[in-house]
Amino acid sequence: MSIDALRGLVILLMLVDHTREFFFRYVPVSDPMDVEATTPALFFTRLSAHLCAPIFVLLTGVGAWLYAAPRGGARAASDFLWKRGLFLVVLELTVVSFAWSFELLPDRFFLQVIWVIGLSMLALAALAHLPRWALIAVGLVLVLGHNLLDGVHVAPGGIGHVLWAVLHERTLLPLPWGGDVRTSYPLLPWIGVIALGYGIGPWVARGVEQGWRLRALVVSGVLALLGFVVLRAVNVYGDPTPWQTGSDGLRTVMSFLNLTKYPPSADFLLLTLGVGALLLAALEKLPVRSMAMLAVFGSAPLFFYILHLYLLHAVNRIAALATGVDGLATLPNVASLWSLALVVAVPCWFACRWFGGVKRASGAWWMRYL
């Protein structure tokens, strides 16, 4: 239950961030992580959402191991992963894309988190056959070493440009009908994250002593955070954007925590995965009722993801029509973003509880892919 509870927690943080995407688009700050231009409230709101994708992808790997272990191991994992991975890629380009734009053929497609989870699953379908130590080694090399490739660029039109854009370079790719596609989530480091998740799957297996699991989570979380602090303090490797002394102490801390997400730097992943490990350990100590409340969201993550995007977009369009706004409606401050996200979370919780019951009661094979 703690895994679903952690998913539920980061889902709520994601809801706040996507509320910001829809309802805070026209604020004077173009980038909420621009240390000298943004407000601390907006900066730390965005920073909290940085936990979402790394924890989600890591838990996807953990979940794949939990699914495969009683069904024959790597072969069962591969069979499930490549099918669901392809499904998620198609979903990103259709249902998810429409949720963001309400346009069947938008001028720009964004290849975002559902896309990269799908591709990561396809990669894990092959990597799952490696010995566990080798899988973890591949994960660590990709997570910690991919920034060595930051200086590699392939010019538009060159051989491998599209492939390199998908793997490691966030850029725009032209489409035949005149639009373009942004590779918002370059793939390479996310393969490392999902591989690590699959590699630590045995930590959460049924029968593993809780005290041992908690120690493993705490130790790995602390080591990741220490690694982040050391790398970030040295300011030579770990993130393409060095931190700088700000106009005051708070701005210096904000600069230290302003990490590259696209693609996620080694520092970014050490910080977020370290916090994620400690959160998972902490959630195991929560009262069962509290965990169960969060687990309702976490047990139906894909359903929630699609539902909340359509709900937020629809609410914004209705608010814009009601107030005569040309475009998207905007909220006045960060506190109102959190308040609206809390309001939206309530119907989503009941919808997820209903869908979770339907999924558990269904014997249809395809329901496990949702």
Side-chain angles (χ1 to χ4, degrees):
M1 186 185 292
S2 59
I3 291 176
D4 283 341
L6 181 55
R7 279 200 195 99
L9 177 61
V10 297
I11 274 175
L12 292 176
L13 294 175
M14 178 185 69
L15 173 58
V16 175
D17 192 52
H18 289 168
T19 304
R20 177 191 62 82
E21 290 274 6
F22 280 111
F23 286 88
F24 226 50
R25 186 166 294 184
Y26 302 124
V27 295
V29 179
S30 60
D31 180 3
M33 301 301 288
D34 184 344
V35 172
E36 292 300 330
T38 192
T39 64
L42 184 57
F43 177 90
F44 286 104
T45 293
R46 175 60 175 155
L47 182 65
S48 69
H50 282 353
L51 294 171
C52 301
I55 291 175
F56 239 102
V57 176
L58 185 82
L59 293 183
T60 298
V62 173
W65 188 90
L66 289 173
Y67 172 84
R71 294 176 174 85
R75 180 174 295 182
S78 292
D79 186 57
F80 172 75
L81 287 164
W82 76 261
K83 293 174 185 175
R84 193 163 195 260
L86 286 177
F87 171 68
L88 292 180
V89 168
V90 172
L91 199 70
E92 178 74 77
L93 297 173
T94 53
V95 176
V96 173
S97 176
F98 185 76
W100 283 106
S101 65
F102 280 2
E103 297 176 6
L104 289 175
L105 197 63
D107 292 333
R108 178 166 295 168
F109 285 89
F110 294 88
L111 305 180
Q112 301 192 87
V113 67
I114 300 300
W115 154 274
V116 88
I117 291 175
L119 290 185
S120 297
M121 288 178 124
L122 293 176
L124 185 58
L127 292 174
H129 294 277
L130 292 174
R132 184 167 166 240
W133 67 266
L135 184 68
I136 293 174
V138 168
L140 289 173
V141 167
L142 290 177
V143 165
L144 299 177
H146 76 92
N147 285 121
L148 294 171
L149 303 172
D150 289 346
V152 178
H153 303 284
V154 179
I159 296 176
H161 172 63
V162 172
L163 177 61
W164 189 241
V166 170
L167 286 175
H168 200 256
E169 192 164 27
R170 188 189 192 203
T171 189
L172 291 173
L173 300 173
L175 293 171
W177 58 84
D180 55 40
V181 57
R182 178 176 286 282
T183 54
S184 298
Y185 277 71
L187 173 64
L188 204 57
W190 298 112
I191 295 176
V193 176
I194 201 171
L196 289 178
Y198 193 88
I200 67 171
W203 292 8
V204 297
R206 194 183 300 272
V208 172
E209 195 264 321
Q210 186 190 46
W212 183 93
R213 177 168 59 250
L214 292 179
R215 287 191 296 274
L217 289 170
V218 170
V219 168
S220 59
V222 169
L223 287 176
L225 292 178
L226 287 174
F228 158 71
V229 170
V230 170
L231 271 184
R232 192 62 170 153
V234 171
N235 224 15
V236 173
Y237 177 81
D239 196 280
T241 305
W243 65 275
Q244 299 176 345
T245 302
S247 55
D248 54 43
L250 179 58
R251 298 287 168 175
T252 300
V253 171
M254 290 164 64
S255 179
F256 194 85
L257 296 174
N258 184 18
L259 307 170
T260 302
K261 183 180 179 180
Y262 307 107
S265 67
D267 284 346
F268 181 98
L269 292 174
L270 284 171
L271 174 62
T272 54
L273 294 178
V275 172
L278 296 181
L279 284 174
L280 185 56
L283 286 170
E284 290 215 9
K285 293 295 188 177
L286 275 184
V288 173
R289 186 172 181 180
S290 299
M291 268 207 297
M293 293 287 288
L294 287 172
V296 168
F297 292 114
S299 62
L302 183 58
F303 175 80
F304 175 91
Y305 188 86
I306 295 170
L307 172 65
H308 91 283
L309 288 181
Y310 278 90
L311 186 55
L312 284 172
H313 200 164
V315 168
N316 193 294
R317 292 293 182 98
I318 293 169
L321 286 173
T323 56
V325 172
D326 183 17
L328 293 178
T330 301
L331 289 171
N333 51 52
V334 174
S336 61
L337 294 180
W338 284 84
S339 298
L340 178 59
L342 179 61
V343 171
V344 172
V346 174
C348 288
W349 187 88
F350 285 101
C352 288
R353 187 177 67 169
W354 164 80
F355 181 78
V358 171
K359 187 174 180 178
R360 286 189 295 272
S362 174
W365 64 268
W366 51 270
M367 285 293 285
R368 68 175 180 265
Y369 292 94
L370 298 179

